[in-house]
């Protein structure tokens, strides 16, 4: 898990630093920002420490109604939560005593033009993603019809070549060779590149390609939520499944269960087309549709029709 500091969010969002220039090293330990509420009223039934504290219009207007001494008292209640920093939203004027108190307590005070809701969403999304547990795996990550797909298989099986074919059909490369997986939640796995391999695709007998330079921005995507794990394997006679509907199998990445299928390779087989079919079939299943169920229903209707006459 990456360590995030106040300096990271200042740089990312171009926040104005009102105080605490020498405290930019303070570490962000919590994934969610907080807005003080009961803290201003001296009630501490539940203390959530180490959160970035956001002061919106309601909080700032309230503090402006107080004397500097009273304002410091209320601000002191927030400081008890040991926030890595305090952010003033909507470019509001800092209330009396805020800067001087936070300088004493070594708490950076930042300011932004963005609204409270915008700041909360931006910081939460940025910090959650940056601090998410991650692993790197060997494979290729592509976005097919809006769905993230991991292509895995032994070296030389044709993962990158298949990705190149998919790009030619209008889909997008996310990462080749090394895929960085980030766990954003128990159900959400994000696939991305490791910066060094960004936009690059390595093809045997051809060499290294920059897909953006060759095919334009539409050929590349920074990250994608992983929906399917597809393993490309060598062709094995009499090993293909011909059931109407296969039982869903899963593979585990950091506790996140991802649907997994195998596609066997053979000269002349349209692997890219099969991957497109798998992606579209998965999407329909999420919408509650099953081709196998519809097929069986048709058979049953045909079987029952003569009996009703």
């Amino acid at each position: 898990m990456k360590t995030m500091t106040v300096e990271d969010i200042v740089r990312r969002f171009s926040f104005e630093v009102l105080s605490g220039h020498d405290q930019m090293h303070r570490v962000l330990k919590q994934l969610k920002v907080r807005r003080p509420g009961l803290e201003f009223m001296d009630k501490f039934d539940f203390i959530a420490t180490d959160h970035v504290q956001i002061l919106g219009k309601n909080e700032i207007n309230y503090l402006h109604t107080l004397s500097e001494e009273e304002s410091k008292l209320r601000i002191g209640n927030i400081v008890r939560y040991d926030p890595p920093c305090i952010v003033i939203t909507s470019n509001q004027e800092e209330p009396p005593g805020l800067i001087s108190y936070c300088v004493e307590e070594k708490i950076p005070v930042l300011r932004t033009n963005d609204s409270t809701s915008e700041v909360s969403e931006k910081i939460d999304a940025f910090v959650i993603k940056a601090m998410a547990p991650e692993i790197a795996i060997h494979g290729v990550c592509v976005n097919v019809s809006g769905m993230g797909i991991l292509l895995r298989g032994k070296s030389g099986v044709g993962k990158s070549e298949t990705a190149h074919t998919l790009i030619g059909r209008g889909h997008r490369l996310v990462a080749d060779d090394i895929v960085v997986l980030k766990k954003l939640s128990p159900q959400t796995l994000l696939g991305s590149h490791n910066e060094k391999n960004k936009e690059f695709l390595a093809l045997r007998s051809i060499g290294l390609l920059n897909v953006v330079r060759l095919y334009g921005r539409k050929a590349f995507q920074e990250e994608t939520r992983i929906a399917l794990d597809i393993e490309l394997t060598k062709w094995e006679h009499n090993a293909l499944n011909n059931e109407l509907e296969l039982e869903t199998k899963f593979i585990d990445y950091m506790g996140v269960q991802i649907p997994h299928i195998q596609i066997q390779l053979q000269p002349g087989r349209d692997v890219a087309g099969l991957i497109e079919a798998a992606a579209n079939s998965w999407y329909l299943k999420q919408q509650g549709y099953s081709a196998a169920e519809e097929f069986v229903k048709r058979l049953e209707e045909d079987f029952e029709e003569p009996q009703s006459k």
Side-chain angles (χ1 to χ4, degrees), residues 16-59:
E16 178 186 2
V17 180
L18 299 181
S19 69
H21 291 80
D22 59 343
Q23 297 297 320
M24 294 294 101
H25 61 277
R26 288 179 64 91
V27 176
L28 278 65
K29 300 178 182 179
Q30 299 289 350
L31 301 180
K32 294 285 187 178
V33 303
R34 294 193 76 252
R35 292 183 65 182
L38 293 178
E39 293 89 335
F40 280 160
M41 307 307 296
D42 289 330
K43 293 185 179 180
F44 297 93
D45 295 333
F46 173 72
I47 300 178
T49 61
D50 300 319
H51 289 266
V52 172
Q53 294 284 343
I54 303 292
L55 299 182
K57 289 184 178 181
N58 291 340
E59 293 80 20

Side-chain angles (χ1 to χ4, degrees), residues 148-245:
I149 295 179
L150 285 176
L151 299 179
R152 297 184 302 107
K154 294 183 179 179
S155 180
V157 77
K159 299 182 295 295
S160 299
E161 289 82 354
T162 301
H164 183 259
T165 302
L166 288 167
I167 291 171
R169 296 186 179 190
H171 307 295
R172 297 176 177 179
L173 174 72
V174 176
D176 180 43
D177 191 37
I178 299 297
V179 181
V180 177
L181 299 178
K182 292 189 175 186
K183 179 182 179 181
L184 301 188
S185 77
Q187 297 82 32
T188 307
L189 193 69
L190 196 70
S192 186
H193 51 78
N194 66 357
E195 292 294 340
K196 295 179 181 179
N197 65 347
K198 179 180 178 179
E199 301 175 358
F200 289 127
L201 182 67
L203 298 178
R204 292 176 183 271
S205 303
I206 302 297
L208 199 62
L209 306 179
N210 186 309
V211 298
V212 172
R213 295 294 183 92
L214 282 175
Y215 306 113
R217 293 300 314 172
K218 63 178 178 14
F220 175 75
Q221 186 167 316
E222 287 281 351
E223 58 192 24
T224 186
R225 179 174 178 175
I226 303 300
L228 282 175
D229 177 271
I230 297 180
E231 182 181 7
L232 304 181
T233 63
K234 292 183 178 181
W235 182 272
E236 295 182 15
H237 291 288
N238 302 320
L240 291 180
N241 296 295
N242 293 311
E243 291 88 345
L244 292 180
E245 188 166 39

Side-chain angles (χ1 to χ4, degrees), residues 78-145:
I78 303 175
V79 172
R80 292 191 198 182
Y81 288 81
D82 195 24
C85 64
I86 295 174
V87 182
I88 298 175
T89 67
S90 304
N91 202 30
Q92 299 173 94
E93 180 182 354
E94 64 273 17
L98 175 64
I99 300 299
S100 59
Y101 192 94
C102 288
V103 167
E104 294 175 6
E105 299 297 327
K106 298 182 179 181
I107 305 293
V109 179
L110 315 176
R111 184 163 58 191
T112 175
N113 288 322
D114 293 334
S115 68
T116 301
S117 59
E118 290 173 333
V119 173
S120 298
E121 291 174 4
K122 286 181 178 180
I123 295 180
D124 284 349
F126 176 65
V127 174
I128 287 173
K129 189 179 297 182
M131 295 177 63
E134 65 178 48
I135 58 173
I137 67 167
H138 175 66
V140 176
C141 183
V142 290
N143 184 281
V144 177
S145 301

